[in-house]
Amino acid sequence: MNNDLIYKSQARVLDEDLAGRASTSGADALLAEIVRLERTQERQEARRRFTRSPRRAVLGLAAAVALAGAFVVVPSFFRGAEQVYASQAVTIDRDGDSYVFYITDGDPDPAELQKAFQKVGLDNVTVKLIPVSPQQRDPVVGFDKTDPDARMSSTLSDCRERVEGCLSAFSVTADIKGAAEFRLGRPAKPGEKYAYPADASWPGEALAGVKLQGRSVAEAVGVVREHDLKVSYTLEWPLRDGGVGVRYELGVPASRIDPSWKVATAVTYNDGVIILHVEPGAGATPPPGF
């Protein structure tokens, strides 16, 4: 995937990058306006409660995002790992054929992380921090790579079991070849546009405390405009094979949206626009490719 496209709007996983992509429970997360995955996780985990760290948490992708690289969520990395590097920002373990990274600084210096990666031989791996909502509690981890055999995983377990003060943890193939880039969420500065979508109803966001989920499009649009905000639409089409997840059709014109259709969720990039994720009604026909 072209590096310039990956986080422009959504990670933003850019809206353009998400078009036609399938979002599943195991992978394809920053390429979704990941809200659907967040809702799925809420149901599966009875909405995990996050303990706020004294540091600002590394923020971002609800579980994590696989941009160009393969991505899976695993229950734990902690078995059989041996520490090979440690600093204030990151601890690195060697676990079989992978390195495991435990992030302990919510807004780390990319240069410090770069140095840590080089210490374990990952000379071609770079790190970029992306702005996300200060209210984002799930860690955002993006990964782009040129090595087709490289694999990256992110744990949903409490990484503090392994490293005190850990905020998020992920692993990557130790013998990765070619250039690769990690993207980690950091709290956005006041007024800064997010690179990853946030629930518009979160405290401090554009529609703080206002729930649009389940309302008709017509009603939701009225609420958005009452707040002097603009509206954009994304359609969530069920997967053709009946699997769990949806395909996102982005930037859908209002002329194709039935006012009676229901809103699945509403997200924002802190740019004055509310993106309504809409569930097409019965009988709606998806465009080619969906």
Side-chain angles (χ1 to χ4, degrees):
M1 178 179 294
N2 186 307
N3 286 345
D4 293 334
L5 296 179
I6 294 171
Y7 270 90
K8 186 170 56 181
S9 93
Q10 188 170 29
R12 202 166 184 161
V13 178
L14 284 190
D15 285 350
E16 302 93 284
D17 295 332
L18 297 177
R21 293 296 299 269
S23 172
T24 66
S25 58
D28 210 11
L30 203 120
L31 298 175
E33 303 240 18
I34 289 197
V35 178
R36 168 65 75 180
L37 274 182
E38 289 177 351
R39 297 209 319 270
T40 300
Q41 282 187 305
E42 289 171 5
R43 292 193 296 268
Q44 292 175 339
E45 301 177 40
R47 193 58 183 173
R48 298 192 310 278
R49 295 187 178 217
F50 292 89
T51 301
R52 297 192 181 185
S53 167
R55 299 189 188 94
R56 301 175 78 185
V58 173
L59 306 173
L61 277 194
V65 182
L67 300 184
F71 170 85
V72 295
V73 176
V74 296
S76 179
F77 298 134
F78 308 137
R79 297 191 182 114
E82 179 181 356
Q83 181 176 304
V84 294
Y85 180 87
S87 71
Q88 182 176 351
V90 60
T91 294
I92 304 176
D93 282 356
R94 180 64 186 256
D95 187 4
D97 61 358
S98 297
Y99 284 116
V100 185
F101 302 86
Y102 306 93
I103 305 299
T104 50
D105 186 342
D107 194 2
D109 180 355
E112 183 179 350
L113 295 180
Q114 190 76 46
K115 177 182 177 181
F117 290 3
Q118 291 173 348
K119 288 288 187 180
V120 297
L122 298 179
D123 297 332
N124 294 323
V125 177
T126 57
V127 181
K128 181 179 181 180
L129 301 184
I130 63 166
V132 300
S133 170
Q135 302 300 321
Q136 180 70 47
R137 294 296 171 232
D138 290 322
V140 174
V141 180
F143 180 54
D144 187 27
K145 46 85 173 186
T146 57
D147 183 354
D149 296 322
R151 296 292 181 267
M152 175 257 192
S153 305
S154 180
T155 183
L156 294 180
S157 297
D158 187 350
C159 59
R160 295 178 190 178
E161 294 176 22
R162 179 68 179 173
V163 175
E164 183 179 359
C166 179
L167 302 172
S168 66
F170 55 90
S171 71
V172 67
T173 309
D175 62 351
I176 185 172
K177 301 174 180 64
E181 183 178 65
F182 282 105
R183 294 176 180 82
L184 304 179
R186 63 159 176 81
K189 300 173 183 177
E192 186 177 15
K193 185 176 179 179
Y194 304 154
Y196 177 76
D199 189 319
S201 69
W202 284 347
E205 299 301 343
L207 295 176
V210 178
K211 291 291 187 180
L212 298 183
Q213 180 178 354
R215 299 193 189 189
S216 70
V217 170
E219 184 179 2
V221 169
V223 172
V224 172
R225 289 177 176 165
E226 286 175 0
H227 287 75
D228 296 321
L229 299 167
K230 297 180 181 179
V231 178
S232 179
Y233 300 99
T234 290
L235 285 177
E236 298 188 352
W237 295 101
L239 300 183
R240 290 181 178 275
D241 62 5
V244 176
V246 297
R247 285 185 179 272
Y248 295 86
E249 185 183 0
L250 309 169
V252 180
S255 60
R256 287 186 50 208
I257 304 295
D258 188 321
S260 68
W261 288 351
K262 300 299 182 182
V263 172
T265 191
V267 299
T268 178
Y269 289 98
N270 197 33
D271 58 359
V273 178
I274 301 299
I275 301 173
L276 297 180
H277 280 236
V278 178
E279 298 173 342
T285 302
F290 286 85

